[in-house]
Amino acid sequence: MVWGAAGGIGSALVQAAKKAGWRVGAVSRAGGATLPPADFAYEGDVADLFAVQRAVYAAAQEMGAIDLWIYSIGDIVSSPVAAMEEDVWQRILDANLSGAYRTIHHSLPLLAENAHIVFIGAYSERLQLPGLAAYAAAKAGLEAFAVALGKEQRHKRVTVVRPGAVDTPLWTKMPMRLPRSAATPDAVAERVLQAYHEGHSGVLDL
């Protein structure tokens, strides 16, 4: 199950999983019209608790036990704290942190006993830069959240994937140029699936 399946990395994850023979449930804010081909498509805005519950309920009717659950939703803004409006701060936290809580909280009953939970994070300590306070704080919080979750869900594996620069539309919001060494979404997706097969847990730096 991939949350954020219409994004650059999320879309690549859906396609890589399908290519590898998985049955895939894909969730995006706009629903099936924006998604790559998946076995099941759901609409769910992670800032909307009811929308998350509705997507999870629909998946429960169709998907069966989920072996690999991935949160690949993110948003970023470049704004100094002095100029940042409350709704912008909340939007960044909803996408990168609060949405992760809402989705996994309601998804846990759907997961197989030894399921692998993956959150797409970031090198938050490298992003503690002027204008990126909200994003860096949210991604650092995501890592702490994942550590605690892993201790609570001891039969499951929890991984935070920390890719460097990735060539996705999200990068156009960054206050810096995309490095020539930036990874492709496909490369990140393949590494996530490899981590599943390797039995990885903890932080995975790419």
Side-chain angles (χ1 to χ4, degrees), residues 42-195:
Y42 308 108
E43 181 177 344
D45 182 351
V46 300
D48 181 341
L49 176 59
F50 177 72
V52 170
Q53 292 172 321
R54 183 175 57 201
V56 170
Y57 179 79
Q61 310 309 306
E62 298 180 312
M63 291 193 64
I66 295 170
D67 296 305
L68 176 58
W69 184 99
I70 305 171
Y71 187 85
S72 182
I73 294 173
D75 195 3
I76 196 168
V77 66
S78 178
S79 172
V81 173
M84 189 181 304
E85 298 293 337
E86 171 75 21
D87 62 331
V88 174
W89 169 267
Q90 192 59 55
R91 190 189 85 218
I92 301 305
L93 261 67
D94 275 336
N96 297 291
L97 179 57
S98 300
Y101 153 72
R102 292 186 189 106
T103 53
I104 192 59
H105 171 77
H106 291 285
S107 296
L108 282 172
L110 277 61
L111 304 189
E113 183 178 0
N114 60 345
H116 193 177
I117 300 166
V118 176
F119 299 102
I120 304 299
Y123 285 93
S124 56
E125 67 274 13
R126 297 185 187 176
L127 295 172
Q128 294 170 9
L129 302 171
L132 298 182
Y135 184 77
K139 289 299 189 184
L142 178 65
E143 287 196 28
F145 173 76
V147 169
L149 177 66
K151 293 176 180 178
E152 294 170 0
Q153 300 291 323
R154 294 189 177 276
H155 295 293
K156 296 175 175 59
R157 291 178 285 130
V158 179
T159 294
V160 176
V161 177
R162 304 203 311 173
V166 184
D167 189 2
T168 71
L170 188 69
W171 194 270
T172 62
K173 299 182 179 183
M174 291 285 283
M176 59 194 74
R177 183 175 299 177
L178 180 72
R180 291 184 179 180
S181 60
T184 65
D186 290 341
V188 175
E190 291 296 338
R191 189 65 186 90
V192 170
L193 294 185
Q194 183 181 347

Side-chain angles (χ1 to χ4, degrees), residues 1-27 32-40 68 70 72 167-169 184-194 197:
M1 188 174 193
V2 179
W3 292 80
I9 295 175
S11 177
L13 283 162
V14 171
Q15 295 178 68
K18 283 297 299 175
K19 184 178 179 182
W22 290 74
R23 293 174 72 239
V24 181
V27 190
T34 63
L35 294 174
D39 298 282
F40 310 104
L68 176 58
I70 305 171
S72 182
D167 189 2
T168 71
T184 65
D186 290 341
V188 175
E190 291 296 338
R191 189 65 186 90
V192 170
L193 294 185
Q194 183 181 347
H197 291 297

